[in-house]
């Protein structure tokens, strides 16, 4: 709407004015290469893209057919590319993480980033667990070609990809067939205790063993990263105080 567009223009110039004030009072060198340089460069990027968005907005007001008759880069209108700068409206939400009232939210975000490497390896481990379970089901149940009397003519563990998907759903407590019946009950009906006992032991091992281990390692990695960052910030603060003295 017109009101929101005008508010967007106002805040774009407000952020630009704020950036100029910071550059003036902090000094260009201190602002660009100081302790807060990463946030400062992020602010510069956000302000720059915001001004590009504002420029595109005024250009569209003065040229209603700018998207059709305006300058082009290949087959794409330049003004259409400039509209991508409006994605910075979402990126600006990261600015609130600098406020003290969002300290806990910032800690959560930093924790997720710090534990991302551990999370990736946890996903890799889960993939191999799912793959191993799918191969076992393909070798034991797959050759029987058990077909379910549903609208889809589902064949239990007919191929490796479908088997992996079903094993993953079972581990996520969503092991149901396309007709809505639980696969565990159907397998017990077909194979009896010979299926249920390995199924229960495997589920206990994965849920209470592998999943809890992943959670513990992820939390430990996040806490260790937070501890290291805290020690680094303390050391930087001591250096800053020593230089002032």
């Amino acid at each position: 709407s017109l009101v929101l567009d005008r508010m967007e223009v106002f805040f774009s110039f407000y952020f630009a004015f704020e950036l100029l004030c910071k550059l003036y009072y902090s000094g260009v060198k201190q602002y660009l290469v100081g302790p807060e340089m990463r946030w400062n460069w992020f602010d510069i990027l956000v302000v720059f893209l915001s001004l590009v968005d504002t420029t595109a907005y005024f250009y569209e007001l003065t040229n209603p057919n700018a998207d059709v008759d305006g300058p082009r880069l290949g087959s794409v209108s330049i003004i259409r590319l400039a509209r991508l700068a409006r994605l910075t409206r979402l990126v600006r939400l990261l600015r609130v993480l600098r406020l003290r009232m969002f300290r806990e939210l910032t800690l959560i975000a930093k924790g997720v980033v710090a534990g991302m490497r551990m999370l990736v390896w946890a996903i890799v481990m889960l993939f191999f667990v799912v793959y191993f379970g799918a191969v076992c089901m393909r070798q034991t149940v797959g050759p029987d070609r058990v077909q379910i009397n549903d609208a889809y003519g589902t064949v239990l563990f007919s191929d490796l990809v479908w088997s992996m998907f079903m094993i993953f759903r079972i581990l996520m407590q969503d092991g149901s067939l396309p007709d809505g019946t639980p696969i565990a009950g159907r397998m017990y009906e077909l194979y009896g205790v010979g299926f249920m006992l390995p199924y229960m032991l495997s589920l206990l091992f994965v849920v209470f063993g592998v999943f809890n281990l992943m959670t513990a390692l992820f939390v430990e990695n996040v806490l260790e990263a937070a501890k290291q960052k805290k020690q680094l910030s303390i050391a930087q603060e001591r250096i800053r105080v020593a230089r002032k003295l």
Side-chain angles (χ1 to χ4, degrees), residues 109-163:
K110 289 182 178 179
V112 172
V113 174
M116 191 61 65
R117 181 179 178 183
M118 181 62 65
L119 184 61
V120 170
W121 285 113
I123 293 174
V124 172
M125 183 177 179
L126 181 61
F127 171 82
F128 282 109
V129 171
V130 171
Y131 177 78
F132 177 77
V135 170
C136 290
M137 297 307 295
R138 281 283 300 137
Q139 296 298 322
T140 54
V141 181
D144 294 341
R145 302 290 297 178
V146 179
Q147 185 171 357
I148 306 299
N149 295 325
D150 57 7
Y152 306 96
T154 304
V155 178
L156 293 180
F157 304 102
S158 57
D159 58 74
L160 183 61
V161 176
W162 190 88
S163 302

Side-chain angles (χ1 to χ4, degrees), residues 168-225:
F168 177 76
R169 290 181 61 195
I170 291 172
L171 295 179
M172 296 295 109
Q173 309 300 316
D174 185 34
S176 58
L177 294 169
D179 61 355
T181 59
I183 190 173
R186 187 62 62 90
M187 294 294 294
Y188 177 74
E189 180 183 351
L190 294 173
Y191 297 97
V193 181
F195 166 77
M196 289 305 297
L197 186 59
Y199 169 77
M200 292 171 60
L201 293 177
S202 301
L203 203 60
L204 288 173
F205 171 76
V206 173
V207 174
F208 294 100
V210 176
F211 283 175
N212 287 339
L213 179 62
M214 289 178 180
T215 303
L217 291 176
F218 179 78
V219 172
E220 181 183 6
N221 188 69
V222 171
L223 292 177
E224 183 64 24

Side-chain angles (χ1 to χ4, degrees), residues 7-212:
M7 290 180 62
E8 178 67 23
V9 172
F10 169 77
F11 281 109
S12 296
F13 285 108
Y14 173 80
F15 288 143
F17 178 74
E18 178 191 26
L19 178 62
L20 293 176
C21 291
K22 289 181 178 180
L23 284 170
Y24 177 77
Y25 287 106
S26 300
V28 177
K29 182 178 180 181
Q30 179 68 19
Y31 187 81
L32 297 180
V33 295
E36 297 290 329
M37 59 176 295
R38 294 182 180 179
W39 277 111
N40 295 338
W41 279 105
F42 173 76
D43 286 343
I44 292 174
L45 177 63
V46 169
V47 170
F48 172 76
L49 293 178
S50 179
L51 292 177
V52 170
D53 180 27
T54 303
T55 303
Y57 170 72
F58 280 116
Y59 187 78
E60 286 182 289
L61 286 180
T62 56
N63 300 273
N65 297 323
D67 199 10
V68 178
D69 301 331
R72 311 184 68 83
L73 182 62
S75 60
V76 183
S77 171
I78 295 293
I79 198 66
R80 186 173 298 175
L81 291 176
R83 287 174 185 164
L84 295 177
R86 296 180 180 178
L87 296 175
T88 57
R89 298 177 182 179
L90 300 177
V91 179
R92 288 177 195 167
L93 295 177
L94 296 177
R95 293 169 63 98
V96 303
L97 297 179
R98 304 180 65 178
L99 301 178
R100 185 176 297 274
M101 62 181 298
F102 294 101
R103 180 174 177 272
E104 289 76 13
L105 179 60
T106 305
L107 292 177
I108 294 175
K110 289 182 178 179
V112 172
V113 174
M116 191 61 65
R117 181 179 178 183
M118 181 62 65
L119 184 61
V120 170
W121 285 113
I123 293 174
V124 172
M125 183 177 179
L126 181 61
F127 171 82
F128 282 109
V129 171
V130 171
Y131 177 78
F132 177 77
V135 170
C136 290
M137 297 307 295
R138 281 283 300 137
Q139 296 298 322
T140 54
V141 181
D144 294 341
R145 302 290 297 178
V146 179
Q147 185 171 357
I148 306 299
N149 295 325
D150 57 7
Y152 306 96
T154 304
V155 178
L156 293 180
F157 304 102
S158 57
D159 58 74
L160 183 61
V161 176
W162 190 88
S163 302
M164 291 181 65
F165 179 61
M166 285 304 303
I167 294 296
F168 177 76
R169 290 181 61 195
I170 291 172
L171 295 179
M172 296 295 109
Q173 309 300 316
D174 185 34
S176 58
L177 294 169
D179 61 355
T181 59
I183 190 173
R186 187 62 62 90
M187 294 294 294
Y188 177 74
E189 180 183 351
L190 294 173
Y191 297 97
V193 181
F195 166 77
M196 289 305 297
L197 186 59
Y199 169 77
M200 292 171 60
L201 293 177
S202 301
L203 203 60
L204 288 173
F205 171 76
V206 173
V207 174
F208 294 100
V210 176
F211 283 175
N212 287 339

